[in-house]
PDB file of all heavy atoms in Angstrom:
ATOM      1  N   ALA H  99     -66.793 -48.380  24.504  1.00  0.00           N
ATOM      2  CA  ALA H  99     -66.384 -49.635  25.135  1.00  0.00           C
ATOM      3  C   ALA H  99     -66.685 -49.646  26.630  1.00  0.00           C
ATOM      4  O   ALA H  99     -66.323 -50.594  27.330  1.00  0.00           O
ATOM      5  CB  ALA H  99     -64.901 -49.881  24.887  1.00  0.00           C
ATOM      6  N   ASN H 100     -67.314 -48.578  27.107  1.00  0.00           N
ATOM      7  CA  ASN H 100     -67.664 -48.459  28.525  1.00  0.00           C
ATOM      8  C   ASN H 100     -66.436 -48.402  29.425  1.00  0.00           C
ATOM      9  O   ASN H 100     -66.429 -48.944  30.534  1.00  0.00           O
ATOM     10  CB  ASN H 100     -68.578 -49.614  28.941  1.00  0.00           C
ATOM     11  CG  ASN H 100     -69.599 -49.157  29.969  1.00  0.00           C
ATOM     12  OD1 ASN H 100     -69.631 -47.977  30.348  1.00  0.00           O
ATOM     13  ND2 ASN H 100     -70.421 -50.067  30.437  1.00  0.00           N
ATOM     14  N   GLN H 101     -65.396 -47.763  28.934  1.00  0.00           N
ATOM     15  CA  GLN H 101     -64.181 -47.558  29.722  1.00  0.00           C
ATOM     16  C   GLN H 101     -64.115 -46.086  30.127  1.00  0.00           C
ATOM     17  O   GLN H 101     -64.782 -45.255  29.513  1.00  0.00           O
ATOM     18  CB  GLN H 101     -62.942 -47.897  28.881  1.00  0.00           C
ATOM     19  CG  GLN H 101     -62.814 -49.373  28.570  1.00  0.00           C
ATOM     20  CD  GLN H 101     -61.795 -49.636  27.467  1.00  0.00           C
ATOM     21  OE1 GLN H 101     -61.210 -48.714  26.918  1.00  0.00           O
ATOM     22  NE2 GLN H 101     -61.616 -50.898  27.143  1.00  0.00           N
ATOM     23  N   PRO H 102     -63.313 -45.785  31.165  1.00  0.00           N
ATOM     24  CA  PRO H 102     -63.183 -44.372  31.548  1.00  0.00           C
ATOM     25  C   PRO H 102     -62.631 -43.555  30.376  1.00  0.00           C
ATOM     26  O   PRO H 102     -61.710 -44.016  29.693  1.00  0.00           O
ATOM     27  CB  PRO H 102     -62.164 -44.403  32.689  1.00  0.00           C
ATOM     28  CG  PRO H 102     -62.099 -45.814  33.133  1.00  0.00           C
ATOM     29  CD  PRO H 102     -62.482 -46.674  31.969  1.00  0.00           C
ATOM     30  N   TYR H 103     -63.206 -42.386  30.151  1.00  0.00           N
ATOM     31  CA  TYR H 103     -62.727 -41.530  29.060  1.00  0.00           C
ATOM     32  C   TYR H 103     -62.737 -40.085  29.526  1.00  0.00           C
ATOM     33  O   TYR H 103     -63.269 -39.774  30.600  1.00  0.00           O
ATOM     34  CB  TYR H 103     -63.604 -41.715  27.815  1.00  0.00           C
ATOM     35  CG  TYR H 103     -65.025 -41.243  27.980  1.00  0.00           C
ATOM     36  CD1 TYR H 103     -65.426 -39.981  27.523  1.00  0.00           C
ATOM     37  CD2 TYR H 103     -65.979 -42.044  28.607  1.00  0.00           C
ATOM     38  CE1 TYR H 103     -66.732 -39.539  27.689  1.00  0.00           C
ATOM     39  CE2 TYR H 103     -67.287 -41.612  28.778  1.00  0.00           C
ATOM     40  CZ  TYR H 103     -67.650 -40.357  28.313  1.00  0.00           C
ATOM     41  OH  TYR H 103     -68.942 -39.915  28.480  1.00  0.00           O
ATOM     42  N   ASP H 104     -62.124 -39.230  28.753  1.00  0.00           N
ATOM     43  CA  ASP H 104     -62.011 -37.818  29.105  1.00  0.00           C
ATOM     44  C   ASP H 104     -63.357 -37.114  28.882  1.00  0.00           C
ATOM     45  O   ASP H 104     -63.702 -36.753  27.754  1.00  0.00           O
ATOM     46  CB  ASP H 104     -60.921 -37.170  28.258  1.00  0.00           C
ATOM     47  CG  ASP H 104     -60.711 -35.712  28.635  1.00  0.00           C
ATOM     48  OD1 ASP H 104     -61.489 -35.181  29.464  1.00  0.00           O
ATOM     49  OD2 ASP H 104     -59.766 -35.104  28.101  1.00  0.00           O
ATOM     50  N   GLU H 105     -64.096 -36.926  29.960  1.00  0.00           N
ATOM     51  CA  GLU H 105     -65.440 -36.359  29.838  1.00  0.00           C
ATOM     52  C   GLU H 105     -65.427 -34.845  29.666  1.00  0.00           C
ATOM     53  O   GLU H 105     -66.479 -34.229  29.489  1.00  0.00           O
ATOM     54  CB  GLU H 105     -66.295 -36.771  31.046  1.00  0.00           C
ATOM     55  CG  GLU H 105     -66.513 -38.274  31.076  1.00  0.00           C
ATOM     56  CD  GLU H 105     -67.423 -38.735  32.219  1.00  0.00           C
ATOM     57  OE1 GLU H 105     -68.355 -37.998  32.561  1.00  0.00           O
ATOM     58  OE2 GLU H 105     -67.176 -39.836  32.756  1.00  0.00           O
ATOM     59  N   THR H 106     -64.242 -34.238  29.701  1.00  0.00           N
ATOM     60  CA  THR H 106     -64.180 -32.794  29.477  1.00  0.00           C
ATOM     61  C   THR H 106     -64.238 -32.468  27.983  1.00  0.00           C
ATOM     62  O   THR H 106     -64.473 -31.323  27.605  1.00  0.00           O
ATOM     63  CB  THR H 106     -62.890 -32.176  30.067  1.00  0.00           C
ATOM     64  OG1 THR H 106     -61.761 -32.713  29.375  1.00  0.00           O
ATOM     65  CG2 THR H 106     -62.767 -32.478  31.556  1.00  0.00           C
ATOM     66  N   LEU H 107     -63.995 -33.464  27.131  1.00  0.00           N
ATOM     67  CA  LEU H 107     -64.084 -33.226  25.688  1.00  0.00           C
ATOM     68  C   LEU H 107     -65.543 -32.986  25.315  1.00  0.00           C
ATOM     69  O   LEU H 107     -66.440 -33.675  25.808  1.00  0.00           O
ATOM     70  CB  LEU H 107     -63.544 -34.436  24.910  1.00  0.00           C
ATOM     71  CG  LEU H 107     -62.045 -34.715  25.052  1.00  0.00           C
ATOM     72  CD1 LEU H 107     -61.694 -36.042  24.370  1.00  0.00           C
ATOM     73  CD2 LEU H 107     -61.219 -33.590  24.453  1.00  0.00           C
ATOM     74  N   GLU H 108     -65.760 -32.011  24.439  1.00  0.00           N
ATOM     75  CA  GLU H 108     -67.140 -31.698  24.057  1.00  0.00           C
ATOM     76  C   GLU H 108     -67.545 -32.546  22.852  1.00  0.00           C
ATOM     77  O   GLU H 108     -67.336 -32.169  21.707  1.00  0.00           O
ATOM     78  CB  GLU H 108     -67.275 -30.205  23.783  1.00  0.00           C
ATOM     79  CG  GLU H 108     -67.096 -29.412  25.070  1.00  0.00           C
ATOM     80  CD  GLU H 108     -67.300 -27.922  24.899  1.00  0.00           C
ATOM     81  OE1 GLU H 108     -67.869 -27.503  23.885  1.00  0.00           O
ATOM     82  OE2 GLU H 108     -66.866 -27.186  25.804  1.00  0.00           O
ATOM     83  N   PHE H 109     -68.153 -33.665  23.160  1.00  0.00           N
ATOM     84  CA  PHE H 109     -68.484 -34.629  22.109  1.00  0.00           C
ATOM     85  C   PHE H 109     -69.713 -34.245  21.286  1.00  0.00           C
ATOM     86  O   PHE H 109     -69.945 -34.817  20.233  1.00  0.00           O
ATOM     87  CB  PHE H 109     -68.685 -36.026  22.718  1.00  0.00           C
ATOM     88  CG  PHE H 109     -67.403 -36.766  22.919  1.00  0.00           C
ATOM     89  CD1 PHE H 109     -66.830 -36.882  24.179  1.00  0.00           C
ATOM     90  CD2 PHE H 109     -66.752 -37.341  21.842  1.00  0.00           C
ATOM     91  CE1 PHE H 109     -65.633 -37.564  24.360  1.00  0.00           C
ATOM     92  CE2 PHE H 109     -65.560 -38.028  22.002  1.00  0.00           C
ATOM     93  CZ  PHE H 109     -65.008 -38.145  23.275  1.00  0.00           C
ATOM     94  N   GLU H 110     -70.493 -33.313  21.781  1.00  0.00           N
ATOM     95  CA  GLU H 110     -71.692 -32.869  21.055  1.00  0.00           C
ATOM     96  C   GLU H 110     -72.531 -34.067  20.594  1.00  0.00           C
ATOM     97  O   GLU H 110     -72.867 -34.928  21.393  1.00  0.00           O
ATOM     98  CB  GLU H 110     -71.286 -31.956  19.891  1.00  0.00           C
ATOM     99  CG  GLU H 110     -70.542 -30.713  20.419  1.00  0.00           C
ATOM    100  CD  GLU H 110     -69.922 -29.868  19.313  1.00  0.00           C
ATOM    101  OE1 GLU H 110     -70.372 -29.928  18.163  1.00  0.00           O
ATOM    102  OE2 GLU H 110     -68.984 -29.120  19.620  1.00  0.00           O
ATOM    103  N   ASP H 111     -72.823 -34.141  19.286  1.00  0.00           N
ATOM    104  CA  ASP H 111     -73.713 -35.201  18.803  1.00  0.00           C
ATOM    105  C   ASP H 111     -73.152 -36.608  19.025  1.00  0.00           C
ATOM    106  O   ASP H 111     -73.913 -37.586  19.073  1.00  0.00           O
ATOM    107  CB  ASP H 111     -74.008 -35.011  17.302  1.00  0.00           C
ATOM    108  CG  ASP H 111     -75.002 -33.878  17.056  1.00  0.00           C
ATOM    109  OD1 ASP H 111     -75.490 -33.287  18.046  1.00  0.00           O
ATOM    110  OD2 ASP H 111     -75.297 -33.594  15.892  1.00  0.00           O
ATOM    111  N   ALA H 112     -71.830 -36.719  19.157  1.00  0.00           N
ATOM    112  CA  ALA H 112     -71.235 -38.045  19.335  1.00  0.00           C
ATOM    113  C   ALA H 112     -71.658 -38.689  20.659  1.00  0.00           C
ATOM    114  O   ALA H 112     -71.590 -39.906  20.818  1.00  0.00           O
ATOM    115  CB  ALA H 112     -69.707 -37.958  19.246  1.00  0.00           C
ATOM    116  N   LEU H 113     -72.105 -37.869  21.612  1.00  0.00           N
ATOM    117  CA  LEU H 113     -72.599 -38.408  22.886  1.00  0.00           C
ATOM    118  C   LEU H 113     -73.796 -39.331  22.673  1.00  0.00           C
ATOM    119  O   LEU H 113     -74.073 -40.194  23.499  1.00  0.00           O
ATOM    120  CB  LEU H 113     -73.024 -37.270  23.826  1.00  0.00           C
ATOM    121  CG  LEU H 113     -71.923 -36.550  24.579  1.00  0.00           C
ATOM    122  CD1 LEU H 113     -72.528 -35.413  25.384  1.00  0.00           C
ATOM    123  CD2 LEU H 113     -71.167 -37.502  25.492  1.00  0.00           C
ATOM    124  N   ALA H 114     -74.481 -39.134  21.564  1.00  0.00           N
ATOM    125  CA  ALA H 114     -75.681 -39.924  21.290  1.00  0.00           C
ATOM    126  C   ALA H 114     -75.389 -41.418  21.223  1.00  0.00           C
ATOM    127  O   ALA H 114     -76.291 -42.236  21.371  1.00  0.00           O
ATOM    128  CB  ALA H 114     -76.325 -39.460  19.983  1.00  0.00           C
ATOM    129  N   TYR H 115     -74.110 -41.756  20.991  1.00  0.00           N
ATOM    130  CA  TYR H 115     -73.761 -43.171  20.819  1.00  0.00           C
ATOM    131  C   TYR H 115     -73.467 -43.883  22.132  1.00  0.00           C
ATOM    132  O   TYR H 115     -73.180 -45.072  22.141  1.00  0.00           O
ATOM    133  CB  TYR H 115     -72.594 -43.313  19.822  1.00  0.00           C
ATOM    134  CG  TYR H 115     -73.022 -42.801  18.475  1.00  0.00           C
ATOM    135  CD1 TYR H 115     -72.924 -41.446  18.172  1.00  0.00           C
ATOM    136  CD2 TYR H 115     -73.622 -43.647  17.551  1.00  0.00           C
ATOM    137  CE1 TYR H 115     -73.392 -40.943  16.971  1.00  0.00           C
ATOM    138  CE2 TYR H 115     -74.100 -43.150  16.348  1.00  0.00           C
ATOM    139  CZ  TYR H 115     -73.978 -41.810  16.065  1.00  0.00           C
ATOM    140  OH  TYR H 115     -74.473 -41.312  14.887  1.00  0.00           O
ATOM    141  N   GLN H 116     -73.546 -43.133  23.247  1.00  0.00           N
ATOM    142  CA  GLN H 116     -73.353 -43.770  24.548  1.00  0.00           C
ATOM    143  C   GLN H 116     -74.282 -44.947  24.745  1.00  0.00           C
ATOM    144  O   GLN H 116     -73.939 -45.931  25.394  1.00  0.00           O
ATOM    145  CB  GLN H 116     -73.642 -42.772  25.673  1.00  0.00           C
ATOM    146  CG  GLN H 116     -72.585 -41.733  25.869  1.00  0.00           C
ATOM    147  CD  GLN H 116     -72.963 -40.838  27.029  1.00  0.00           C
ATOM    148  OE1 GLN H 116     -72.634 -41.126  28.164  1.00  0.00           O
ATOM    149  NE2 GLN H 116     -73.672 -39.776  26.731  1.00  0.00           N
ATOM    150  N   GLY H 117     -75.494 -44.832  24.195  1.00  0.00           N
ATOM    151  CA  GLY H 117     -76.501 -45.879  24.354  1.00  0.00           C
ATOM    152  C   GLY H 117     -76.068 -47.217  23.762  1.00  0.00           C
ATOM    153  O   GLY H 117     -76.579 -48.271  24.139  1.00  0.00           O
ATOM    154  N   VAL H 118     -75.112 -47.141  22.812  1.00  0.00           N
ATOM    155  CA  VAL H 118     -74.646 -48.363  22.152  1.00  0.00           C
ATOM    156  C   VAL H 118     -73.942 -49.293  23.140  1.00  0.00           C
ATOM    157  O   VAL H 118     -73.879 -50.499  22.928  1.00  0.00           O
ATOM    158  CB  VAL H 118     -73.715 -47.983  20.964  1.00  0.00           C
ATOM    159  CG1 VAL H 118     -73.090 -49.217  20.324  1.00  0.00           C
ATOM    160  CG2 VAL H 118     -74.497 -47.198  19.925  1.00  0.00           C
TER     161      VAL H 118
END
Side-chain angles (χ1 to χ4, degrees):
N100 215 1
Q101 291 166 358
Y103 66 98
D104 183 354
E105 295 183 35
T106 64
L107 293 173
E108 292 184 16
F109 277 103
E110 300 171 23
D111 285 357
L113 280 177
Y115 297 86
Q116 286 182 89
V118 174

